[in-house]
Every structure is written in C-alpha cells, then in structure tokens.
Amino acid sequence: MSVQDSSFQMDSLIAEDIDAYLDQHQHKSLLRFITCGSVDDGKSTLIGRLLYDSKMIFEDQLAALQSDSAKHGTQGEEIDFALLVDGLAAEREQGITIDVAYRFFTTEKRKFIVADTPGHEQYTRNMVTGASTADLAVILVDARKGVLKQTRRHSYLVHLLGIKHLVLAVNKMDLVDYDQRKFDEIVRDYGEFAKEAGIEDFTAIPISGFKGDNITAAPCSNTPWYHGHALIEHLETVKLANTAAQERSFRMPVQWVNRPNLDFRGFAGLIAGGTVKPGDMVRIVPAGKTSTVKTISTFDGDMDEAVAGQSVTITLADEVDCSRGDVIAAAGDPPEASDQFCSTIVWMDETAMKPGRGYWLKLGSQMVTATVQPPKYEIDVNSLDHLAAKTLELNSIGVAEFSTDRPITFESYEKNRELGGFILIDKFSNATVAAGMIDFSLRRAQNVHWQPTTITRDDHSSLKNQRPRVLWFTGLSGSGKSTIANEVEKQLALMNRHTFLLDGDNVRHGLNKDLGFTETDRIENIRRIGEVSKLMADAGLIVLTAFISPFRAERQMVREMLPDGEFIEVFVDTPLEVAEARDVKGLYKKARDGELKNFTGIDSPYEAPETPEIRVNTVDMTPVEAAEYIISQILPLK
C-alpha cells in the first residue's frame, strides 16, 4: 500500500470517526531515526520528500506552502515540494542545521521522529547528539561521489552508538541516469568498509530524494533492476529498539524517591530493560539488598505489568536503602557496579581532554567524579587504524580507562545503551565535553577491596589532640609559598602540633621525579600529592603543601578527596611582576629567553583561586606576619 493510499484511508477515518482516528494514532509505534552522511549528500531534500509524501506536514508548514502557492498562482506537487525543499536548503545555508533539527511525520503504520544532522566534520558532536536516541540511521551517499570520509565517519559513529539498523541510501540516482553498475559499486565499497568496522548488516536502497524514486513505493520505473522495499516501507517494518529492550533482564534507574506520607515510599524511573510484575524479586544495585515488587503504578493507576520504555513508580515489600542513582534490577541477573572501567570516547569540546583531571560523569541519574587516563589509542575513522595518542582533540574518537570516586551501576553499552552511555561535564564551565560508551569493567577493580582497620582516622586525630587539616599553599613561582609554609610549620611545631610539609621541588626529587611540566604532567603531579596529603590527614597530621598548582580543577579535585572543612586553600597573592623581579631561581629569565617551556605565568596559565579560605599579600606582609595571620585563621586546630 502506498503512502498516498494510507493517507486517503486516514482522511476517511478522520471524517467518519475522529475518536477512532485519535485512538489509532496514539497507539502507533514510534521510530526515531537519523539522517547523516557527507556534506550535500541530500539529507534535507530527502527529509522534505518524506514530509511531503507523508501528507502529515505540520500545520504551519502546510499553511506556508499554501500561502506561497496562492501568492505565486501555482499548483501541483512539484511546486509544493520545491518550496519545502528550498526552505530546508535555506536553513542549511544560514547555518541553522549545525544544530540537530528534529522533524515529525506519520504514516498509517507508524509515527516518526527524524533527526537532521550536519554533515561537516567539525559538527560531529551534533551528529552524536542526534544519534544518541535513534533506533535507525539513514546514511546518505551521493551517487556521483561514492563513499567519502564523512560517510565512513558517520557510519562508524552510529555503529559505535549502538544503532543496529543502517540504511545505505544511494541518493541522486537521477544524476547518474539510474546506473545499476554505479549503485552496485558503491554498495560493494561500503560493504568492505562495514565489514572492517564491525557493521554486521545494512540495507541498500537506490533513491532520488528530489524525484521521489523508491521513497514511498518500489520498484519505480527508473530502477526496474531494484527488487527491495521503498525507504518508507522499510522504516515502517524495522524492529524497534524498545521491542529488543523488553527481551533483556529488568533494569530501572531510580530518578527520584516519592514519599508523600509515611505509608507510601515509591521509586520512580524509566524502565531501561525487561519487564516487571508485582511479586517479582528485585535487587538494589550497588547496595545488593533484595526485596519483592509490591505495586507498579502510573498516573493512570496500578499496572499488572510494566515494560521497557515506560515511566513508572514501584513500591517494594521491604524497607530497603534505595535512592536516586541506584538501579532496581532483576534479582537473579543484576548489572555490574564498579569504580574502574574501559570506555570508548567521542571528544566533543574545543579544549583537548586532560588526562588525570576530574570531570563530572553523568550516567542516567548517577553523577560522580571521574578521572580519565591517557588514551590507549585513538581511532582513525578513515582507515580504522589504532593510533598512539596522549590526549583527544575535538571530534576525536579513542579508548581510555576511567576511575570514579565511587562505584557506579552500569552495563556495557553494547548490551544496554541507557546503562552504558554517559557524558563527561567540565566541572567549572558545566560544558558537556565528551560522550562515552562503557566497554567493560576493569578486572583489577573487582580484585581490589578496601581493607577495614581497627585504628581509625578519628583515633589518630585524638592521639595527636588536633584536627587534621591540609593547608594548600598556591601561587606563582617566587610568590613565597615555600617560605611562608615553612614559617607556619615552624610556629605550629612550637605549639606542639604534629605537621608535615610537602614542598613542590622536594617531591619532584622522589615520588614525582618521572613527571615533567606539561599540563598533563602537572595534573598528575597534583593528583599524587592530593592522595599523599589525604593519607597524611588520615594519620591525624596537619599537612602543608607548597605547589604552584596552577589549575582550579586540580585544587578542587584535592578538596573533594577530604572531609568538609579539612582543605584550606591559602592563596599567596603576589603580582607577576613582583614574583618575576625576585626570580630567586632564575627561572623567569630562562622562560623569557625561551630556554624553559610551559612555565607558569609566561607561556602556561595560572588560574588564581576565586574564593580561597585564606589570602595573603607578600608585598605588604613579611613571611613571619603572613604565617601568624594564617595560624590565627585556622585556630583552634582541635
């Protein structure tokens, strides 16, 4: 049945029984798909054709077309379609489609949401956004140009993002006289790449988005040699992701806990996999506690069964510890929980990835601090080679290991997109910098467990009769950090306080002698010192550190390692010209002469604290006065 016939039947149903039509429309399945490929392969033209031929264009689009037709005194399909295509093309020319544009249409059998994504390489992140929720990808190829680099890039990305259904739409067949040999050549070239990329299957369709060949009906007279389905027929019959999700084990990430009164405690969320019924045994992950489902409800009332894709509120038979970020899962087949895993990453920020830096990792309703290690390799999407890399730049794809500050509940992305896909967020700019797909947890995370000890950090603190602190001195080279920290420790020693001073130069003679002064090495330098400072604070000591520590993100990382109130940021606020005039070690002169690279304040930035607990000005204060002021601010130390 053609789309036109389907449209006629729907129009008849609307006229006869509007309620029946609305009920039929409400219960249609929904397919989300993405159109992608290289620049000018015809994505917008194809979408225009789908919208027009479906006869379900939005009212504002129809009104605009009718208005323009009346204004120009024209009628007929070709003029109406041309107006719609011209509108989409104008959007592209104006740069609007560098963002993902979502279009909606319907046929008798199914509703559709199509994401129109940009073809330029620099907007790969926008393409990833559109693909993240899609069930199917239409990869367009210009029949005149064949398989291009962006064709391979987008195909690899949609495969990476877990889209199982791929359509290779060889477009503009009218411009190559519907040459079957040209079509077969493109399908063969693409098939060779698909096999290398791990793409198991794809459906190839020869089309003309502008002429409409093989869009709504096949075969058309121009391609008698093609015996497959038309594009819209294929879209109407492909198996939906939700159907596959219902066949998996039950998982529901908890979005919030609903407790309007003492007699009701419900856990609300979107079911990410499987089915659930009252009476089913479930396990709370990562806590591991088990219970039985008591009720399942929505705004419409209680349910006898809920399936993947539905938002529900579940109550349990027992009072168990369960909160936002936890996952309620099938008791006999729970997901993993780990704090270390290997992931494939698509870097989406203009600032390169900083190995060792802490980012927010958001996976569903879970939010944790994650540290990324230097990439194992970067993937060349053109050749699929694995390339050595120290970081990832904008639009790069690579594989790296992550560690989080606490275990997260997840499954591999291949198995469950909802529990395997995450984003990384810069802690200071709140910008989304990367999309990630978890591959597997690291074995070492399963083999290493925290060993409880009898003597606690509180015991160490009581024995020393003091509260542990970390006094973190930060400032430019030559600002006076080491001198003032040394004076503070000397005065604390006279007060019978137990201290230890970690100085930047001293530490680089041993623990950190393998590190240089690149941004990545500076981050690792501070991470290690943070961990050492934490251990010393656990021993009950007052720790003083004197490091330039130029980046706010790393100082914040150390702050988050410690209990509230134990990290004291001391900003030794000395202007650059004053620090450079001192130049006790002669480092500024070397930096100015080009003999010393990555020197803070010259060719490497220093991010001054915005709200330090303590600020001292060495222009107005002597080291002794500064030390006395600092001690006055942190007393009492008990």
Side-chain angles (χ1 to χ4, degrees), residues 36 92 166 337 343 393 443 473 475 528 540 596 627:
C36 50
R92 183 177 68 245
L166 271 66
S343 166
E393 305 283 349
R443 185 178 300 275
F473 291 79
R528 293 183 191 180
L596 191 59

Side-chain angles (χ1 to χ4, degrees), residues 578-598:
V578 174
E580 187 169 0
R582 294 172 182 170
D583 204 9
V584 179
K585 303 173 184 177
L587 300 179
Y588 282 98
K589 184 179 185 305
K590 289 183 179 181
R592 294 292 186 187
D593 292 341
E595 299 175 12
L596 191 59
K597 301 296 184 182
N598 302 312

Side-chain angles (χ1 to χ4, degrees), residues 77-151:
E77 174 179 333
E78 289 190 6
I79 295 296
D80 285 350
F81 176 66
L83 287 170
L84 176 58
V85 172
D86 287 346
L88 292 169
E91 286 186 357
R92 183 177 68 245
E93 290 165 2
Q94 295 168 23
I96 295 174
T97 54
I98 62 172
D99 290 324
V100 181
Y102 293 94
R103 310 283 177 177
F104 307 83
F105 67 98
T106 186
T107 66
E108 180 189 17
K109 296 181 179 180
R110 182 170 279 176
K111 293 180 286 187
F112 301 92
I113 300 177
V114 52
D116 182 13
T117 62
H120 299 78
E121 181 176 346
Q122 60 265 41
Y123 302 120
T124 297
R125 53 186 170 182
N126 305 80
M127 179 267 173
V128 170
T129 300
S132 63
T133 57
D135 302 309
L136 178 145
V138 177
I139 310 290
L140 277 93
V141 174
D142 188 325
R144 299 168 301 172
K145 301 175 183 177
V147 178
L148 303 176
K149 180 178 180 180
Q150 275 299 85
T151 313

Side-chain angles (χ1 to χ4, degrees), residues 231-243:
L231 176 60
I232 197 68
E233 293 171 339
H234 181 75
L235 297 178
E236 285 180 327
T237 56
V238 72
K239 184 178 181 180
L240 296 180
N242 270 352
T243 304

Side-chain angles (χ1 to χ4, degrees), residues 5-26:
D5 292 338
S6 299
S7 177
F8 176 78
Q9 287 190 0
M10 287 188 288
D11 289 342
S12 300
L13 184 59
I14 292 172
E16 296 171 4
D17 189 344
I18 186 64
D19 290 333
Y21 166 75
L22 292 175
D23 181 69
Q24 181 189 77
H25 184 70
Q26 180 181 1

Side-chain angles (χ1 to χ4, degrees), residues 175-190:
L175 300 183
V176 295
D177 297 326
Y178 301 96
D179 186 348
Q180 180 182 3
R181 288 178 299 176
K182 186 65 176 177
F183 173 76
D184 291 341
E185 179 184 339
I186 291 173
V187 173
R188 183 174 61 254
D189 289 347
Y190 187 84

Side-chain angles (χ1 to χ4, degrees), residues 357-361 368-372 402-405 424 427:
R357 174 162 292 179
Y359 296 95
W360 291 120
L361 184 152
V368 297
T369 294
T371 302
V372 58
F402 280 78
S403 60
T404 56
D405 61 346
L424 290 182
K427 288 192 171 185

